[in-house]
Amino acid sequence: MRFNLAILSLLLLSFSSSVVKAQTEWKDDAFSMFIHYGLYSIPAGVWNGERVESGYSEQILSFGVHFSDWYEAFAEQFDAKDFNPDEIVRLAKSAGMRSIVITAKHHDGFCLFGSDYTSYDVMDATPARRDLIGELAEACHKQGMRFGIYFSLIDWNFPGAMPISSHNADPITILHHEYNKKQVTELLTKYGKVDELWFDMGSLTTEQSRELYNLVHQLQPECMVSGRVGNDQADFSVMADNEYPNYSIVKPWQTAASMFNETWGYRSWQERGEVADKVNEKFLSLVKVLARGGKYLLNIGPMGSGSLVPFEVEVLKEMGKRTAVYQEALYGVQAAPFSLEDKSYLATAKGGKSIYLFVPTSSDMRDKRMQDILLPAHRGDIKRVTLLNGEGKEERLSYSRLQDGSVRLALRAPLHPLEYPVMVVKVEYKKGYDYTPKTSIRQPEEVLSYANAEYLNSHSSLDYYCGYRSVIGYKWNTPYLNKKESSLLLLYPLEDKGKSIRLVTSKGAKEIVLAEGKNLSVSTPKYLLGKARRKIAYGVFGAPVTDNGEWEEVEEVMDMNYPLRPRRAVALDVPITVYDDTILPINLSYKDGLMVYLNGEYVYGNIKRDLTEPFSDLLLLRIPKGTHRLLFKVYNRFGKAAVLRWNVPENVYLLQQKVLTDSPTSFIRLEGTDRLKASPALLQNVSIRQCQEK
């Protein structure tokens, strides 16, 4: 038995290492091409001579045509005579893209490959009789381009699937799930190496998501699986369409962006504007994603014949000129620590020795003088500061280190033309840099909690509408821990007993089970609730609540069962006053999802599937003396109401557990034990302090 367990452990370790390696290579590519091409490309957003302005044009069957037999007739016109895989790969390479993902099957169920399980495909139903997926796979492999496949998990043509809905996040029937697995197997066994399988839509059970994830890795171990397979059974997260987070994410993630927000498939009447404006927009979007630690997937939508839209070709070629100039600042980089603290620039980093600042420019900068930039205080000897110009000519900039450790860079306009929306400044260090964020803990007696931590964020997604910012852990910079050994005291509520956590320092990591310990009773402080208000909020679970819309005053705030259609939320805004700096315990009970903000700062987020009863949790809210705003966003995804019940108990019981850790350590990280998944760790109630040794 022990031998079998040892073999299983080795296999799991090997699988984990393989996934991590693939994740790193996938992320380092930085920039990819997305292609939406199918029968929908023929009507091009027009039905019966009129524009179909509702929905994306690739969903014209749902929003415009409505009848499947009318839509399927487009197959008779689908000849793909101008679809040129080699030309597509050359265009992607010229743009600086390092992988291509194409729609093998979109929601309409039509396949761009020959399938043994349906005749509704390019080989059997169209005059093209070309396996377009096979051709593009071959062109990618021949030209050294990574190849990925998009696969819709909903199918409007499969008889055993759910009917068309307005939202596309439908359950997947048993028959449909088996059909999907058969077609995924085809795609992963017919076309050589597939680097990425981009699942989309549907609302799968956890078991269905897990089966698809395991199937992909069984057939192609290094193939990356997208987060839209659902239930966090994925190798990378995908934001909502055209979404750009304003926070860094530590797990692999991607923003998928269309050339125009209104559509992904070709739309003949799309207003395209000026090429230069679109290039600036998309290049800045690329930088924004990379500066937050992500990868950028930019879409094109070929016309019905398969020919590329000239406007999109020009945009990509122009973007390629910029990626060529700034390539060292774009590929194989990480989010730089300075990006979040100074809004005047974005930044990436590479190898621990170089930081790249993307500084906005404008066409009227002709006096060769710009405002200086101040880098926050950090350690490290600077070797040189230069402008990247792609011409092999080094343009050095002067700099000075100030008394507090910050660095002032004296900027001037670059010698190359200023039509680019940014200039890129490279700060190169002799032996690397060491940056201590503002959240650093400087006093040994200071308690480490979520309130003074750097959040370790990911993007969790049960399905498309359940995507949100998930907190998978916390990090504290601890320069005071400089002894050979240090005892740490973990404090956590009785409700967290038995939870497994991972404690990481610069010396290594250890997994800990929160066990029974010394029991402390903490009394609830005095508090006062003010006049509350609420409103309906729309969009995906993770969308921020704004002040727009109608708010209504409410009397009852602690017991809410608000009738509501699925995919909607109730925002509850509650003023609260406390009379000392305190910890306010809040018992939470909710369905299906809940996000909590204190004065606009994110504190808690979680969503659960298949709840027969509300999910219960405890939140130890660390709140300073004064009056504050407590915002609850309660999301109804699967039921008939938004449910939230909360109360403040009279007291709460805290347990203590002593942990010995190696020192010195410059940081402490607290996280969940499943390092490959994006689900929230729910460790907001665990705090740490250093034991005072006698």
Side-chain angles (χ1 to χ4, degrees):
M1 182 66 175
R2 289 181 179 176
F3 178 76
N4 290 339
L5 287 174
I7 293 294
L8 178 60
S9 297
L10 287 173
L11 289 174
L12 290 173
L13 181 61
S14 175
F15 170 72
S16 176
S17 300
S18 176
V19 170
V20 170
K21 176 177 177 290
Q23 287 175 328
T24 301
E25 293 176 350
W26 174 88
K27 178 185 174 300
D28 287 348
D29 283 345
F31 188 26
S32 300
M33 175 185 281
F34 210 0
I35 304 173
H36 276 65
Y37 182 52
L39 295 188
Y40 45 80
S41 306
I42 294 174
V46 177
W47 179 244
N48 283 337
E50 296 186 0
R51 297 177 176 182
V52 178
E53 300 187 3
S54 298
Y56 296 145
S57 288
E58 68 276 12
Q59 298 179 35
I60 194 170
L61 167 57
S62 173
F63 289 99
V65 179
H66 303 305
F67 298 114
S68 59
D69 55 337
W70 291 359
Y71 181 80
E72 289 165 15
F74 286 123
E76 299 170 8
Q77 304 174 44
F78 193 82
D79 58 15
K81 63 183 179 66
D82 296 320
F83 184 85
N84 187 330
D86 290 317
E87 177 190 10
I88 291 171
V89 177
R90 286 193 295 269
L91 175 62
K93 293 183 81 168
S94 73
M97 295 163 157
R98 295 189 173 181
S99 65
I100 294 176
V101 179
I102 185 171
T103 51
K105 182 177 80 168
H106 208 269
H107 308 335
D108 59 4
F110 176 75
C111 302
L112 291 185
F113 62 100
S115 175
D116 291 337
Y117 303 101
T118 181
S119 60
Y120 193 46
D121 64 35
V122 69
M123 296 295 290
D124 297 310
T126 78
R129 297 195 179 279
R130 296 168 55 191
D131 189 326
L132 303 185
I133 299 303
E135 290 182 18
L136 185 59
E138 182 180 356
C140 285
H141 295 150
K142 183 173 61 178
Q143 297 190 45
M145 176 73 66
R146 293 184 192 271
F147 174 66
I149 292 172
Y150 168 106
F151 184 85
S152 172
L153 291 164
I154 60 172
D155 189 322
W156 297 334
N157 184 261
F158 182 64
M162 297 291 289
I164 294 178
S165 70
S166 63
H167 53 79
N168 300 332
D170 308 298
I172 304 299
T173 66
I174 295 174
L175 282 176
H176 189 185
H177 181 57
E178 293 303 313
Y179 176 63
N180 281 343
K181 288 195 294 183
K182 290 174 182 177
Q183 289 200 315
V184 167
T185 300
E186 286 184 307
L187 290 167
L188 295 181
T189 55
K190 292 172 62 174
Y191 304 117
K193 191 174 191 310
V194 177
D195 297 282
E196 183 174 332
L197 195 49
W198 216 94
F199 291 112
D200 193 21
M201 300 313 292
S203 187
L204 285 66
T205 66
T206 302
E207 184 58 32
Q208 287 174 333
S209 297
R210 186 180 296 117
E211 283 186 12
L212 283 171
Y213 179 83
N214 290 339
L215 175 63
V216 172
H217 283 287
Q218 175 189 336
L219 297 172
Q220 297 220 22
E222 294 186 353
C223 180
M224 296 283 285
V225 177
S226 80
R228 292 197 187 173
V229 71
N231 300 296
D232 293 332
Q233 303 295 311
D235 299 313
F236 65 94
S237 299
V238 180
M239 309 303 291
D241 293 351
N242 293 293
E243 181 185 3
Y244 302 91
N246 60 358
Y247 51 88
S248 284
I249 296 176
V250 296
K251 298 282 189 180
W253 67 276
Q254 180 187 74
T255 282
S258 50
M259 194 68 71
F260 307 95
N261 288 356
E262 300 86 354
T263 189
W264 299 77
Y266 174 60
R267 177 176 284 183
S268 59
W269 48 271
Q270 177 69 47
E271 294 183 9
R272 294 179 170 82
E274 297 295 326
V275 167
D277 293 339
K278 185 60 66 173
V279 173
N280 287 345
E281 173 197 334
K282 295 307 177 185
F283 184 76
L284 286 174
S285 296
L286 167 64
V287 173
K288 190 185 305 181
V289 170
L290 298 180
R292 298 290 183 258
K295 182 176 180 178
Y296 192 52
L297 180 66
L298 180 59
N299 182 75
I300 62 171
M303 293 182 273
S305 68
S307 60
L308 304 180
V309 178
F311 178 89
E312 296 178 350
V313 171
E314 287 304 308
V315 169
L316 293 188
K317 286 182 176 179
E318 287 300 314
M319 286 192 71
K321 295 178 182 178
R322 302 181 187 193
T323 58
V325 170
Y326 302 136
Q327 58 182 308
E328 70 172 280
L330 300 173
Y331 303 101
V333 297
Q334 304 82 41
F338 305 144
S339 296
L340 296 179
E341 293 199 2
D342 191 323
K343 305 301 182 184
S344 63
Y345 58 84
L346 295 167
T348 60
K350 181 181 287 185
K353 289 188 175 182
S354 298
I355 291 175
Y356 303 92
L357 310 177
F358 292 80
V359 185
T361 64
S362 62
S363 58
D364 60 355
M365 290 177 178
R366 300 301 176 193
D367 59 358
K368 301 297 180 183
R369 187 76 179 101
M370 296 174 64
Q371 186 174 357
D372 291 348
I373 276 186
L374 192 68
L375 300 186
H378 64 286
R379 294 175 293 279
D381 292 333
I382 294 177
K383 184 177 180 180
R384 57 177 165 254
V385 180
T386 55
L387 285 173
L388 298 186
N389 58 26
E391 300 173 358
K393 299 176 183 178
E394 190 173 86
E395 296 184 52
R396 290 211 176 195
L397 297 178
S398 61
Y399 64 90
S400 58
R401 189 175 287 277
L402 306 184
Q403 192 171 3
D404 65 354
S406 58
V407 175
R408 185 182 300 280
L409 305 179
L411 300 188
R412 57 176 171 76
L415 299 178
H416 66 69
L418 280 168
E419 69 268 17
Y420 293 178
V422 294
M423 58 187 285
V424 180
V425 179
K426 179 181 180 181
V427 183
E428 195 173 354
Y429 296 83
K430 293 177 181 178
K431 295 183 178 180
Y433 60 88
D434 183 20
Y435 171 67
T436 304
K438 293 178 180 178
T439 55
S440 290
I441 310 300
R442 303 188 183 277
Q443 301 299 325
E445 63 272 15
E446 192 168 353
V447 175
L448 312 184
S449 73
Y450 79 83
N452 55 15
E454 173 189 347
Y455 281 27
L456 303 178
N457 299 301
S458 190
H459 181 81
S460 176
S461 177
L462 300 185
D463 61 25
Y464 180 85
Y465 292 95
C466 294
Y468 69 107
R469 175 185 177 184
S470 58
V471 181
I472 61 171
Y474 303 97
K475 180 182 177 182
W476 301 269
N477 292 280
T478 53
Y480 62 80
L481 287 178
N482 53 16
K483 300 178 183 178
K484 290 184 178 179
E485 288 185 339
S486 179
S487 294
L488 300 178
L489 197 63
L490 304 180
L491 292 92
Y492 47 90
L494 182 63
E495 289 81 353
D496 280 353
K497 188 180 76 170
K499 183 176 289 187
S500 294
I501 65 170
R502 194 164 179 266
L503 190 68
V504 185
T505 69
S506 52
K507 298 295 184 180
K510 60 176 65 178
E511 290 193 5
I512 300 167
V513 177
L514 300 181
E516 186 72 68
K518 185 177 179 182
N519 198 322
L520 300 175
S521 178
V522 179
S523 298
T524 297
K526 292 182 179 180
Y527 68 94
L528 177 68
L529 300 182
K531 183 75 72 175
R533 57 179 187 161
R534 74 181 176 201
K535 74 166 186 174
I536 306 300
Y538 300 92
V540 298
F541 175 44
V545 176
T546 66
D547 256 343
N548 298 332
E550 294 292 327
W551 290 85
E552 60 174 349
E553 290 190 355
V554 290
E555 299 294 332
E556 175 57 62
V557 297
M558 289 188 164
D559 189 351
M560 183 177 71
N561 191 324
Y562 192 91
L564 199 64
R565 291 172 60 190
R567 301 176 309 283
R568 287 166 173 76
V570 174
L572 182 64
D573 184 27
V574 184
I576 184 168
T577 301
V578 295
Y579 301 97
D580 293 290
D581 295 351
T582 189
I583 298 175
L584 186 71
I586 301 178
N587 286 322
L588 300 168
S589 179
Y590 57 88
K591 286 179 67 177
D592 294 303
L594 177 67
M595 303 179 83
V596 182
Y597 296 81
L598 181 65
N599 299 326
E601 295 294 324
Y602 187 51
V603 176
Y604 179 92
N606 188 33
I607 190 165
K608 292 291 184 180
R609 173 187 291 281
D610 301 326
L611 291 174
T612 54
E613 297 294 331
F615 179 78
S616 296
D617 204 354
L618 175 69
L619 172 60
L620 299 182
L621 191 65
R622 294 176 179 270
I623 182 168
K625 178 181 178 180
T627 299
H628 309 273
R629 302 208 73 89
L630 187 59
L631 179 70
F632 300 96
K633 181 180 180 181
V634 194
Y635 193 70
N636 175 41
R637 171 62 187 91
F638 305 103
K640 297 182 178 180
V643 177
L644 172 65
R645 298 181 180 90
W646 62 283
N647 64 71
V648 178
E650 292 184 1
N651 52 35
V652 64
Y653 294 96
L654 297 181
L655 304 179
Q656 298 182 10
Q657 184 172 344
K658 194 173 181 180
V659 177
L660 190 65
T661 183
D662 294 331
S663 292
T665 180
S666 59
F667 70 87
I668 294 175
R669 207 166 68 229
L670 183 67
E671 58 191 33
T673 54
D674 191 346
R675 290 179 288 156
L676 294 179
K677 302 305 179 188
S679 306
L682 299 180
L683 299 177
Q684 70 280 349
N685 297 329
V686 181
S687 59
I688 304 172
R689 67 179 175 85
Q690 186 178 17
C691 292
Q692 299 299 313
E693 306 291 350
K694 295 183 179 180

